[in-house]
Amino acid sequence: MQVKRSFVRRSFVQPSFSKSTFCLSALLLVSCSTQPPRADATASAAPTLGCPDLTAASLGLPGLTTVKAELVGMGAVTPPGAALPLPAHCKLTGALNERTSTVDGKPYAIGFELRLPFDWNGKFFFQGGGGNDGVIRDAFGALSFAQGGSTTNALTRGYAVVSTDAGHKAEAAPIVGGALFGMDPQARLDYGYNAVSEVTVASKFIIQRFYGKRPERSYFMGCSNGGRQAMIAAARLADQYDGVVAGNPGFNLPKAAIQHAWDSQAFAAVAPRTPEGKPIISQAFSPADMSLVASKVLEKCDALDGVADGMVNNAPACKAAFKLSELTCTGDKTATCLSAAQVVSLQKVFTGPRDSKGMALYADWPFDAGVGAFGWRIWKMGTAPAATPNSIIATMGGASLPYIFSNPPTALSGADTTVIDYLLGYNFDSDAGKVNAISGTYAQSPMAFMTPPNPSDLSAFKKRGGKMIVVHGNSDPVFSVNDTIRWYGELNTAQRGDAASFARLFTVPGMAHCSGGPSTDNFDGLDALVNWVEKGLPPDRIEASARAANADTKAWPTRTRPLCAYPKFAKYKGTGDVEVSSSFVCEQEQRQ
């Protein structure tokens, strides 16, 4: 009965679909149960369906209106970078809760792709999305957040894999096209959490009709917004998942979006101007300027972990050792220093957004070796030598703040400089509060539908026996690793110091947003999670390696390192090959 209460509770939050969700929960009591498979009248009465027989009519699933199933033969598809072709499987695409919005008049549905291997390992894998979603990605089940990392995937390993567009389709409009769904209140909720819930339940129903039994284990893995979705799954769907891997999670995404406006204004203050007086943000700091900052970070912090190897493993000690002010030019700007205005600008960025009273609106950021890498620049400043920037925070992020993460939403044309003008005019006293506001049609605030209800309360997930691995790059320019570290501290406090029994955080020196940067960004989080869930082996360290495709690691393309469970870091033993993981131990900094 615990599962039934869970779905009824969500139906009150989602009045638009309360009837279908309730009916589906009743059908799925056997599937959603955390107990071993058992005989059930509903399950036994429904015969299994072959791939060609999977239709909306034959499934009879409430809210499922569109289904297309096709057989994919062994070897027919080889994903990019994969060592082996995909196994024979049934590929099913479908749509849930099709409707026409009464607010913006546009059609909406929760689209999904479910791939069902014929040689099934009995497990379910939800592949998290990314960005503003709006597309259905191939449900292969990527096992590395880094492109060209893993040469296998969850589908090849025998998992049934699903992905979703999170309840909307990206539109063909300049800059704002991916965020236009924010005008529809239900699409906001689908993007925030409801699509994950609906697709999870629907997938398990279809799996039972196809294989004749429910999944024995269920896992969720994603990075960025997919990492946020993984945390949503642990918090809102504790009865559905045995384990989650959350990479660089934007669990406070609306607050992180405020940082986009903050960054834009800080960079604009020192950027050169067009003849019309518009800032050229990409030129606020040259690549050489940011490389200078990175080199000075390494100069002060590289050896704090026992060896100078181009990586900052001991981040806490680095915070005390590196002072940005020491880079200030004493005279004219040269290649070896930053202007006083640049130092003020960059210090503002790394301190994080604040209102006029000095109250923090998001988080601060650590200085790390990755700040000089392209992955940091393209997110923060971009490369466009014009007033309309191409930085990702000013395009995808810049459109998300007014449309999705403000209540009520603000409509922008997206043409010319309208989005960056919005960011440059953002008021941190009067506008920042919109992430927590409700207004008329928009009955849930952006923080309410985007962030887990209480991120530090995972007691239901823990009680179920669920396990969580969170991985976050120290040079992430989008979501601050310090925000994730703060969350983990709050989780540990809520658990009275016992968070590590079911949730572990791994910070990745040098890694940018999900991958890249001077880092060992290739690792198998799923393998570590499965060993924890199914074998009772909690991960103290996860082995990671550099990638040949990562331009930031050309100096050490075969390097391996341990990722250490926070608050420990990888420390050199004092002997052994510095390119090999076994020469490092996980230790915690000893503070005086």
Side-chain angles (χ1 to χ4, degrees), residues 13-39:
V13 176
Q14 290 294 325
S16 301
F17 305 123
S18 59
K19 183 176 180 180
S20 67
T21 305
F22 180 82
C23 292
L24 186 52
S25 70
L27 287 171
L28 278 180
L29 282 178
V30 62
S31 296
C32 298
S33 170
T34 60
Q35 301 302 315
R38 56 182 170 81

Side-chain angles (χ1 to χ4, degrees), residues 404-569:
I404 309 169
F405 306 138
S406 294
N407 209 348
T410 299
L412 302 174
S413 71
D416 299 323
T417 62
T418 53
V419 173
I420 190 63
D421 290 343
Y422 168 84
L423 295 176
L424 295 178
Y426 192 83
N427 187 300
F428 299 99
D429 288 332
S430 59
D431 291 333
K434 293 178 182 179
V435 301
N436 288 303
I438 58 174
S439 58
T441 303
Y442 306 94
Q444 289 193 38
S445 74
M447 284 298 294
F449 65 75
M450 289 299 294
T451 300
N454 183 346
S456 62
D457 182 7
L458 295 177
S459 53
F461 186 66
K462 177 185 179 183
K463 183 177 181 180
R464 184 199 191 284
K467 301 293 185 285
M468 171 185 283
I469 291 176
V470 180
V471 184
H472 204 137
N474 286 354
S475 288
D476 188 344
V478 194
F479 306 131
S480 173
V481 66
N482 286 352
D483 193 40
T484 300
I485 290 172
R486 177 200 53 76
W487 160 79
Y488 190 71
E490 293 177 354
L491 177 69
N492 198 42
T493 298
Q495 291 295 324
R496 298 181 180 179
D498 190 43
S501 67
F502 74 101
R504 298 201 174 185
L505 168 63
F506 296 82
T507 61
V508 188
M511 191 174 82
H513 189 56
C514 296
S515 65
S519 65
T520 50
D521 62 355
N522 185 34
F523 45 86
D524 191 335
L526 180 63
D527 191 48
L529 181 67
V530 170
N531 283 336
W532 195 5
V533 170
E534 299 179 17
K535 300 179 182 179
L537 301 173
D540 293 319
R541 56 191 275 165
I542 296 176
E543 299 304 312
S545 62
R547 292 177 298 120
N550 183 1
D552 299 315
T553 59
K554 288 183 178 179
W556 24 273
T558 61
R559 175 173 293 179
T560 58
R561 285 287 184 274
L563 305 181
C564 299
Y566 183 85
K568 294 182 178 181
F569 66 92

